[in-house]
Amino acid sequence: MTSSVVVGSGAREHALAWALAQSGGVVVTPGNAGIAAHGISCVSVPATELEADLFVIGPEQPLVDGLADELRAQGKTVVGPGAEGARLEGSKAYMKEFLASAGVPTARFGVFHHEDEALAFLSTMSPPYVIKTDGLAAGKGVLVTAYLAEARRDVMEKLSGTSFGDAGTTVVIEEGLDGEECSLTVLFDGTRAFALAPAQDFKRVGDANAGPNTGGMGAYAPMEVMTSELVKEVMTSVVAPTVDELHKRAIDFRGVLYAGVMLTSKGPKLLEYNVRFGDPETEVIAPLYGARLFDLLRAVGEGRLEKGAVGTSQYAVTVVLAAHGYPHHPRHGDMIFGLGRDGQLAQPVEGVTVYHAGTELDERGRFITAGGRVLALTGVADSVRQARELAYEGASLVTFEGRVMRNDIALAVI
Ligand code: AMP
Ligand code: GLY
């Protein structure tokens, strides 16, 4: 019997825990009410005080803060880079400098601390304008706009610290790239890199990609546009030079390199790296690997990943249900209808799993909204069409006041 600890409290951690639980015991710290209701142990004990065969750190913040270093210093097997490797996500300015030095194809960019220089650079760019907060902003620090006036206002707000505080007093201004976006989750054990099923995330809040960027409103995998040839190309042109650069800088990286890739007419270009599993991408990836995930992740932590892809035979689609007012002012405390006491659908649909992101129990033991993204419902089936139907059938059974949901997740591919 194996044992794992998952660090985090969202739907990503719920999906990881659910897959790892197929191989043995799992404890999530701190987890959430929905994960606990699903029969997975949640504890509010720091990971450093727990023992297990494998530690998987979900969110970026603890990685940036050095949790993986602390756990490794205790002799634990960990999936997740130390603080040095996590800078790839912790600072977009650092990441862009790293990519330029490694020779990874990416958007042209400038890094600025002062308004006049930033605005001068902006005026040399053509639309769409892309303005990014340097530090961590939970997926909400990026503006992509066709309007110069909006871009200028955003630069000024970010640099003055009004929109993101200290995370935003450095901005990255980038060339806008056009194309289909793909999230490639690459497991990296310090030597070998291995791509899991490519996924597509739907980042804008509204149908047809309208409205502001969010943490992600849904996803599907595998993404067929991202053929195995294209995956190979990304592994060669993006991941391989990254690995060389990590080695050159003597950064010990054992964890997930999540490559956000734009498939442009001039070939794949890297938008960004994250140093952890994607959310909601994990809600489609983890169910596809299921019981195989523990061995894969343990091999990452132990530095003995085998080469070659493990295929997936099914498709998964996840639909996120977000709270009223998401992403700017999510409302807490709305009663959620349609969930049973185990946090799964009260009226079960075979092939659908409910992963909890932001829920809690009220004093009478009923689930209420308690976060921006509230639930992620994943359908798994033999085709994207069926997986999508299942996810939306599940979503039709779960309601709460002001629920925000996209209706077009994976629609274009069926
Ligand atoms: P990031 O946090 O850097 O992944 O940016 C969030 C989202 O903004 C990405 O997933 C893209 O949809 C969009 N984006 C970021 N950079 C660019 C770019 N250079 N060109 C076009 N869209 C971008
Ligand atoms: N799905 C976007 C992210 O995890 O950052």
Side-chain angles (χ1 to χ4, degrees):
M1 176 95 161
T2 68
S3 58
S4 311
V5 167
V6 175
V7 177
S9 62
R12 166 183 50 209
E13 288 74 27
H14 191 169
L16 287 170
W18 186 240
L20 293 170
Q22 295 177 31
S23 310
V26 180
V27 169
V28 186
T29 170
N32 65 40
I35 302 175
H38 209 175
I40 296 168
S41 166
C42 294
V43 298
S44 47
V45 174
T48 47
E49 290 171 26
L50 296 169
E51 293 299 331
D53 300 326
L54 177 69
F55 286 72
V56 184
I57 302 171
E60 55 276 19
Q61 190 70 58
L63 291 166
V64 168
D65 294 342
L67 178 60
D69 299 307
E70 274 183 74
L71 293 171
R72 287 200 177 98
Q74 296 178 319
K76 289 166 175 162
T77 299
V78 185
V79 175
E84 186 65 22
R87 284 182 75 199
L88 269 183
E89 177 166 359
S91 162
K92 288 192 193 283
Y94 170 82
M95 173 184 62
K96 293 296 281 192
E97 178 268 315
F98 182 105
L99 299 179
S101 160
V104 171
T106 185
R108 221 163 37 83
F109 71 104
V111 176
F112 303 95
H113 310 282
H114 302 291
E115 193 178 296
D116 41 352
E117 289 157 25
L119 294 179
F121 182 77
L122 190 61
S123 64
T124 69
M125 305 294 278
S126 41
Y129 305 97
V130 181
I131 321 291
K132 299 185 177 182
T133 310
D134 178 53
L136 295 179
K140 292 161 215 144
V142 177
L143 175 77
V144 181
T145 177
Y147 305 106
L148 184 59
E150 192 183 4
R152 287 175 59 90
R153 193 171 350 111
D154 192 61
V155 165
M156 292 188 270
E157 278 173 14
K158 280 177 176 152
L159 281 177
S160 67
T162 45
S163 25
F164 294 99
D166 286 345
T169 51
T170 299
V171 295
V172 176
I173 299 178
E174 271 183 24
E175 163 198 17
L177 299 176
D178 198 25
E180 190 93 40
E181 226 177 301
C182 173
S183 303
L184 192 63
T185 305
V186 177
L187 300 180
F188 180 51
D189 72 353
T191 314
R192 283 160 297 257
F194 176 110
L196 298 181
Q200 187 157 51
D201 174 18
F202 292 74
K203 296 216 160 120
R204 300 277 182 158
V205 74
D207 284 358
N209 297 324
N213 266 322
T214 68
M217 295 299 295
Y220 74 94
M223 182 183 172
E224 287 185 325
V225 191
M226 189 72 173
T227 57
S228 55
E229 286 70 34
L230 272 173
V231 171
K232 270 193 203 121
E233 192 179 334
V234 172
M235 294 304 281
T236 307
S237 71
V238 172
V239 177
T242 302
V243 167
D244 290 344
E245 186 72 18
L246 286 168
H247 289 160
K248 204 164 92 193
R249 298 184 185 213
I251 298 172
D252 173 16
F253 195 116
R254 276 167 283 165
V256 175
L257 266 174
Y258 152 163
V261 175
M262 189 73 99
L263 303 174
T264 75
S265 55
K266 294 182 193 141
K269 290 196 182 187
L270 188 77
L271 288 175
E272 63 159 353
Y273 271 129
N274 293 314
V275 298
R276 43 144 185 103
F277 280 102
D279 190 354
E281 288 89 333
T282 305
E283 289 93 293
V284 285
I285 289 174
L288 292 179
Y289 290 89
R292 295 176 295 176
L293 200 66
F294 178 83
D295 283 338
L296 279 170
L297 294 186
R298 180 151 73 177
V300 169
E302 291 179 347
R304 48 168 193 78
L305 202 56
E306 313 216 339
K307 257 227 141 73
V310 180
T312 51
S313 52
Q314 288 188 299
Y315 291 82
V317 174
T318 194
V319 173
V320 169
L321 308 184
H324 174 81
Y326 185 72
H328 296 307
H329 304 288
R331 186 168 67 197
H332 287 206
D334 284 306
M335 182 81 65
I336 303 171
F337 299 94
L339 297 179
R341 296 204 76 87
D342 63 353
Q344 296 297 298
L345 298 175
Q347 191 184 316
V349 178
E350 202 183 333
V352 177
T353 309
V354 181
Y355 299 114
H356 287 239
T359 63
E360 61 186 33
L361 294 173
D362 71 3
E363 66 288 348
R364 291 173 57 189
R366 299 168 304 190
F367 283 102
I368 56 174
T369 65
R373 290 183 289 182
V374 176
L375 298 164
L377 278 74
T378 301
V380 176
D382 292 335
S383 70
V384 191
R385 178 186 295 276
Q386 280 173 289
R388 179 175 192 278
E389 278 169 10
L390 287 174
Y392 277 108
E393 187 185 341
S396 73
L397 300 172
V398 183
T399 54
F400 50 88
E401 189 90 9
R403 185 185 80 159
V404 176
M405 173 182 92
R406 276 184 69 156
N407 298 292
D408 62 347
I409 306 300
L411 181 61
V413 289
I414 64 170

